[in-house]
Amino acid sequence: GVIANESDPKRREAWERVRDERQQQIETADVYINSIDDSLIRQLVIYRYKHGLKWQEIATRMGSDYTEDGLRKRLERFLKKF
């Protein structure tokens, strides 16, 4: 369905404003993610928060050297530094 009624300029403008704000948030997040020096942490952030994968799925993608608990704990330690 159509989110904004094109015959209602106020609704369309409001929808466009929300869309633009959301796009800016995504771009800001991408800049931050790409600035993470640790490539493993960067990949975990992308898989978990950008793609919404479960820890089991992430561990499978990362390979047999990693467990879901180990990856989760590693990211938690990184995030606690903030």
Side-chain angles (χ1 to χ4, degrees), residues 52-70:
L53 297 181
K54 296 178 182 179
W55 286 111
Q56 181 181 2
E57 295 169 311
I58 296 170
T60 299
R61 288 182 182 214
M62 299 299 289
S64 61
D65 291 341
Y66 299 99
T67 65
E68 55 189 281
D69 284 339

Side-chain angles (χ1 to χ4, degrees), residues 2 5-6 41 43 45 57 61 64 74 80:
V2 175
N5 183 344
E6 293 188 18
I41 296 296
Q43 194 63 51
V45 170
E57 295 169 311
R61 288 182 182 214
S64 61
R74 182 134 180 205
K80 283 183 183 181

Side-chain angles (χ1 to χ4, degrees), residues 15-48:
W15 181 84
E16 289 172 354
R17 191 170 41 255
V18 168
R19 183 198 61 207
D20 292 346
E21 289 171 4
R22 179 63 51 106
Q23 184 60 37
Q24 181 60 44
Q25 291 171 338
I26 291 168
E27 290 171 10
T28 299
D30 284 342
V31 167
Y32 172 73
I33 291 168
N34 290 327
S35 76
I36 298 172
D37 290 331
D38 185 323
S39 62
L40 175 62
I41 296 296
R42 188 171 52 251
Q43 194 63 51
L44 291 176
V45 170
I46 291 168
Y47 282 154
R48 184 69 176 162

